[in-house]
Amino acid sequence: MGSGGVRRLCAFVQTLPSTRRLATMTVARCLLGLGLLVAIGCKPAPSPADGASAPAPGPSVALAVVTVPASASASVASLPKEPEPSAVVLVRVREEIAFRVEAGFDSPSAIVGLALAAVGTDAEPPPSRAFVEREVLARLAEHTRAEETWKGPTVAERIERAFTKLERDGVFVVAFVGKSQDDANEIVRERAEAAKKAGKPIRGYAYFTQGDLKAALVSHSLLVFSSSLSTNDAAYRAVVELVISRLRESGLKVDWPFQNPAYVPSITGVEWKKRRGGGGDASVAR
């Protein structure tokens, strides 16, 4: 707006009734205090009380573009920015998120925490929780789109069917437990023994670990550990054979080297696809 337009606007304000003029000037002062208007310097027109006639109303006035003062722009620019994770940290975060989303056992909020834990507190600069949450949501959206293309029962669903049958057979089953067999076997055996003490007819247990599933995403072969609660060799073999039988009944290919209990059976030809479902997967709320 040119200087002539500004003067016409100022004169127009002076023609307003005193009540409206006061309100208008109050709003203007507030806006000036916020730094959203630039003082242009217009002199008030003489009021009718001074004996001068009120100027004729001028043409309608269009809204002017408000210019933010340079000092305000400098203040915004000086605000601290979220540091970008280093390339190494970014890879570690995304690898952990990709594995956890694809595995399908952890909730979105748990994935955020696990991704942050994967890089530790010594990362420089450490990724913010907000950054990791955005990464998790993006990966979940990608996974949901992929699910729409899957046909028929997946390997994960066939394993679930087999494990359901094994539970009815008295085999305590756990999926995706522990990072390795060393810690998982102790965890699962203790749970199985506790279930038996609680009155359930438990004869043995079976499981696969987080580490084994992670390896299976590359090797396409998933180890499934099983054992009896008894130290009897015959009982041990019976549980292993039952687990293999149920897996094969569910349409899975199982390799058992030499039919020897000293070797761990594995599901072969694994193309892991686990449907995550809806509900909580749309949010990473804590």
Side-chain angles (χ1 to χ4, degrees):
M1 182 187 296
S3 59
V6 173
R7 292 192 182 92
R8 285 196 297 273
L9 178 58
C10 293
F12 174 74
V13 170
Q14 297 300 325
T15 68
L16 297 174
S18 59
T19 54
R20 293 182 61 186
R21 190 189 314 162
L22 178 61
T24 303
M25 295 303 294
T26 301
V27 172
R29 290 193 186 99
C30 292
L31 291 176
L32 285 169
L34 292 173
L36 297 177
L37 294 177
V38 178
I40 307 176
C42 59
K43 297 180 180 179
S47 64
D50 296 331
S53 59
S60 59
V61 180
L63 292 177
V65 176
V66 177
T67 303
V68 178
S71 58
S73 300
S75 298
V76 173
S78 65
L79 292 175
K81 295 181 179 180
E82 181 179 303
E84 291 290 335
S86 67
V88 174
V89 170
L90 189 60
V91 168
R92 289 167 66 185
V93 166
R94 287 178 172 168
E95 283 181 350
E96 187 69 17
I97 292 172
F99 166 58
R100 296 290 172 175
V101 170
E102 187 171 2
F105 291 94
D106 300 299
S107 68
S109 59
I111 295 173
V112 172
L114 290 164
L116 288 168
V119 298
T121 57
D122 57 343
E124 292 293 343
S128 69
R129 185 179 184 90
F131 171 81
V132 176
E133 286 178 349
R134 290 194 296 271
E135 291 289 318
V136 170
L137 288 175
R139 192 73 187 196
L140 286 170
E142 183 180 329
H143 188 87
T144 299
R145 290 191 294 271
E147 285 184 15
E148 297 174 355
T149 66
W150 299 348
K151 306 296 182 182
T154 66
V155 168
E157 290 163 348
R158 294 181 187 277
I159 292 175
E160 289 173 3
R161 293 177 186 176
F163 276 16
T164 299
K165 293 179 180 178
L166 286 168
E167 285 182 327
R168 292 197 291 264
D169 295 329
V171 177
F172 187 87
V173 295
V174 185
F176 202 64
V177 58
K179 293 183 178 180
S180 65
Q181 186 189 6
D182 291 339
D183 58 333
N185 191 71
E186 182 178 354
I187 293 171
V188 177
R189 187 177 184 89
E190 287 179 355
R191 292 181 184 177
E193 290 176 341
K196 186 174 183 178
K197 289 179 180 178
K200 294 184 178 180
I202 303 297
R203 56 189 293 195
Y205 55 91
Y207 64 91
F208 63 86
T209 72
Q210 297 179 25
D212 292 318
L213 179 55
K214 192 170 189 176
L217 298 180
V218 178
S219 68
H220 306 289
S221 179
L222 177 62
L223 295 173
V224 179
F225 298 88
S226 55
S227 179
S228 66
L229 291 179
S230 170
T231 56
N232 183 285
D233 290 344
Y236 175 80
R237 187 179 186 92
V239 170
V240 175
E241 290 177 342
L242 177 60
V243 170
I244 292 173
S245 175
R246 292 304 191 196
L247 291 171
R248 286 174 175 166
E249 286 175 7
S250 296
L252 297 165
K253 296 180 180 180
V254 183
D255 180 35
W256 189 21
F258 311 109
Q259 308 295 301
N260 189 333
Y263 292 87
V264 179
S266 62
I267 302 171
T268 60
V270 172
E271 294 294 336
W272 188 260
K273 297 175 181 177
K274 189 173 189 303
R275 292 182 172 89
R276 299 188 58 91
D281 285 354
S283 172
V284 289
R286 299 167 182 75

